[in-house]
Amino acid sequence: QVQLVESGGGLVQAGGSLRPSCAASGRTFSNYVMGWFRQAPGKEREFQAALSGSGGSTIYADSVKGRFTISRDNAKNTVYLQINNLKPEDTAVYYCAAKRVWHRVTSSQQQDYWGQGTQVTVSS
């Protein structure tokens, strides 16, 4: 089992930045692909970014390229999502996820573990 706990969400004005983080425990963190998804009210959970266990491979949703940066610190068992130039449409609950294999990492149906989410609200 892997336990994931997100933090670092909040209320921010448009144009600002946030860096949600996700702390993992339970298994060898570096063995897992880590991803970030978000879910706005009334919408499906959407992929944002993923990072391989070593940090050597990344993938982003087209809509967030250039504004979102995923990173990880395997010594701290933590993955981060740097979000810059926040927009009101970024308002959502942000979830981190872990999966064992770099395969279909963008699919919310293919993740092995989920955190409880952290709310990000962007005011205009």
Side-chain angles (χ1 to χ4, degrees):
Q1 288 286 339
V2 174
Q3 292 79 42
L4 303 173
V5 179
E6 299 96 334
S7 61
L11 173 63
V12 65
Q13 289 188 332
S17 298
L18 279 175
R19 193 178 76 151
S21 61
C22 172
S25 61
R27 292 292 177 96
T28 304
F29 181 67
S30 59
N31 287 346
Y32 287 83
V33 177
M34 298 301 298
W36 284 95
F37 293 71
R38 70 185 183 188
Q39 188 167 19
K43 295 188 177 181
E44 294 185 352
R45 195 169 295 189
E46 298 179 328
F47 169 77
Q48 302 301 301
L51 180 62
S52 63
S54 66
S57 297
T58 58
I59 184 171
Y60 293 93
D62 288 342
S63 60
V64 305
K65 285 179 181 177
R67 290 197 303 124
F68 288 23
T69 302
I70 188 171
S71 61
R72 65 192 297 159
D73 185 338
N74 286 344
K76 295 183 178 180
N77 289 355
T78 301
V79 62
Y80 306 94
L81 185 68
Q82 178 70 42
I83 311 174
N84 296 328
N85 189 23
L86 277 155
K87 305 175 181 180
E89 52 264 41
D90 293 322
T91 295
V93 178
Y94 283 70
Y95 297 91
C96 72
K99 72 189 310 291
R100 192 68 176 83
V101 180
W102 185 268
H103 174 65
R104 298 192 68 187
V105 298
T106 65
S107 170
S108 62
Q109 305 300 317
Q110 298 292 318
Q111 306 302 314
D112 297 321
Y113 303 100
W114 290 96
Q116 84 290 347
T118 186
Q119 176 71 48
V120 171
T121 303
V122 184
S123 63
S124 57

